[in-house]
Amino acid sequence: MSTCKIGLIGAGGIALAHLEAAKGEPRAEIVAIADVSKETAAEKAEQYEIPHVFADYRQMLSEAALDAVIVCVPNYLHAQAALDALAAGKHLLCEKPMAMNSGQAEAMIEAAKRADKILMVAQNNRFRSQARQIKSWLDEGKFGNVYHAKTGWVRRNGIPGWGSWFTQKELAGGGPLIDIGVHMLDLTLWLLGHPKPVSVLGQTYAEFGPKKRGLSEWGRIDENGVFDVEDMAVAMITFENGFSLTLDASWASHIEKENVFLQLYGQEGGVSLGLLDEQLALYHEWGGVMATTELSPKPCQERVALLSNFLDAIEGKAEALCTPEQALYITRLIEAIYQSARTGEAVRFS
């Protein structure tokens, strides 16, 4: 495959990340873009020299010569767009979260198997150089038995598009847990090899959103819209191998500043990662003395690396690093956190 002809479904903010990534991958050729706002799609098409513009992605799938599709639409549209693209015989890269629920995710996996096409979820943080360094250490057993992790994404003011689909449960599936918490939950459990969960205890809060506080510049505000999701979620998850994990996800909270973090606790060492400042620190002993080593792995354009892995998988050169089965695993955990928060009881996995 000299080039892969790609169509984008959705021309909103996240589409820009994929369009920029395509500029760094010579095999990627964006030939079509579709959005219900054809004007928005046309603006992106002019900016990135995309020859074909559609208001209906189904028309794009039937008329444009495509090898693959990238889904960049709101959460509630992921599953249907994916099913349509796979039925049309296209490989698929889907933005996170994979789907609104595990039933939709399972349907997407079955559709990909029937079509014999690659289905990959865009968990770009796995491709960061710092994440890959931690992964290599874990594979080497550098930390010994890792028994606990703390992870999360917390913002001081970061509620996106108040009143839009972002803040409506029916359209988004939830608030920061499914929006940004999914990133850190996925990254942490990918690093640890997706251990089998035993129990999930979760709690959600809505202290800022209902009062229209803590808003961000991301997304369009709809003053007549709805806010019926959480603005903070916390969870404690235990696993069969004795490992435990705590997760914090918030769009708004009274904290010093936004923080995207991961900490691993092992018998022989530990590690902390801050994604915003790209700080990576290793905690260990050296000659019987407690030591801290700060590292700066070579920067990596993770979105370009994500796209390259997707194209390698299509060509059969490599396995997709972000498999749909792993995304289904994360989806089930998110469902369990919401269920626990709703019922006030822990959810147990059989």
Side-chain angles (χ1 to χ4, degrees), residues 92-98 108 119-124 127 306 321-324 327-328:
L92 185 70
L93 177 61
C94 183
E95 257 304 322
K96 62 79 201 168
M98 181 179 183
M108 291 166 63
L119 168 57
M120 186 165 158
V121 180
Q123 291 289 4
N124 57 291
F127 294 88
L306 166 74
L321 189 63
C322 307
T323 71
L328 172 61

Side-chain angles (χ1 to χ4, degrees), residues 240-262:
E240 200 172 64
N241 60 0
F243 173 68
S244 60
L245 177 151
T246 58
L247 171 71
D248 292 345
S250 76
W251 278 336
S253 46
H254 289 307
I255 56 175
E256 180 185 2
K257 59 182 179 180
E258 182 173 7
N259 189 20
V260 187
F261 63 93
L262 167 63

Side-chain angles (χ1 to χ4, degrees), residues 65-330:
L66 303 175
D67 301 306
V69 166
I70 302 176
V71 171
C72 305
V73 290
N75 298 353
Y76 72 102
L77 298 172
H78 283 190
Q80 191 58 59
L83 294 175
D84 290 338
L86 291 166
K90 316 303 179 187
H91 298 286
L92 185 70
L93 177 61
C94 183
E95 257 304 322
K96 62 79 201 168
M98 181 179 183
M100 293 277 282
N101 54 60
S102 57
Q104 291 181 349
E106 289 168 352
M108 291 166 63
I109 291 172
E110 289 304 312
K113 290 178 179 177
R114 286 195 303 270
D116 194 25
K117 297 297 177 182
I118 297 297
L119 168 57
M120 186 165 158
V121 180
Q123 291 289 4
N124 57 291
N125 287 309
R126 296 188 187 187
F127 294 88
R128 289 177 179 266
S129 54
Q130 298 90 345
R132 291 190 172 194
Q133 180 63 70
I134 294 172
K135 183 66 171 173
S136 68
W137 284 335
L138 287 165
D139 290 344
E140 294 167 6
K142 191 175 187 68
F143 309 119
N145 177 49
V146 176
Y147 53 88
H148 183 61
K150 293 182 179 179
T151 191
W153 189 331
V154 291
R155 294 174 178 167
R156 184 165 184 171
N157 292 288
I159 296 176
W162 193 100
S164 71
W165 71 267
F166 274 109
T167 65
Q168 297 185 48
K169 184 174 179 59
E170 184 180 0
L171 305 181
L177 174 60
I178 199 170
D179 178 39
I180 54 179
V182 63
H183 273 300
M184 301 313 294
L185 188 62
D186 174 84
L187 177 59
T188 305
L189 293 175
W190 169 69
L191 289 170
L192 275 300
H194 300 96
K196 185 177 179 181
V198 172
S199 68
V200 173
L201 183 63
Q203 183 65 53
T204 58
Y205 306 88
E207 302 295 334
F208 290 78
K211 303 170 187 175
K212 293 187 179 179
R213 296 168 58 194
L215 309 188
S216 75
E217 297 179 355
W218 179 272
R220 297 177 182 177
I221 293 176
D222 181 356
E223 295 290 349
N224 298 316
V226 173
F227 187 101
D228 63 359
V229 297
E230 83 281 1
D231 51 41
M232 182 175 185
V234 296
M236 169 75 170
I237 309 173
T238 63
F239 298 84
E240 200 172 64
N241 60 0
F243 173 68
S244 60
L245 177 151
T246 58
L247 171 71
D248 292 345
S250 76
W251 278 336
S253 46
H254 289 307
I255 56 175
E256 180 185 2
K257 59 182 179 180
E258 182 173 7
N259 189 20
V260 187
F261 63 93
L262 167 63
Q263 297 174 333
L264 300 181
Y265 297 74
Q267 291 175 329
E268 303 298 327
V271 66
S272 70
L273 170 63
L275 289 188
L276 293 184
D277 53 16
E278 298 188 337
Q279 289 189 346
L280 178 62
L282 177 64
Y283 307 108
H284 54 110
E285 293 184 9
W286 189 3
V289 178
M290 302 296 287
T292 300
T293 304
E294 295 183 355
L295 302 103
S296 299
K298 184 178 179 181
C300 169
Q301 293 180 299
E302 70 271 11
R303 287 278 179 182
V304 177
L306 166 74
L307 181 58
S308 296
N309 179 244
F310 177 56
L311 299 183
D312 285 343
I314 291 174
E315 293 182 1
K317 294 180 178 178
E319 294 293 325
L321 189 63
C322 307
T323 71
E325 289 80 10
Q326 293 166 353
L328 172 61
Y329 166 95
I330 296 297

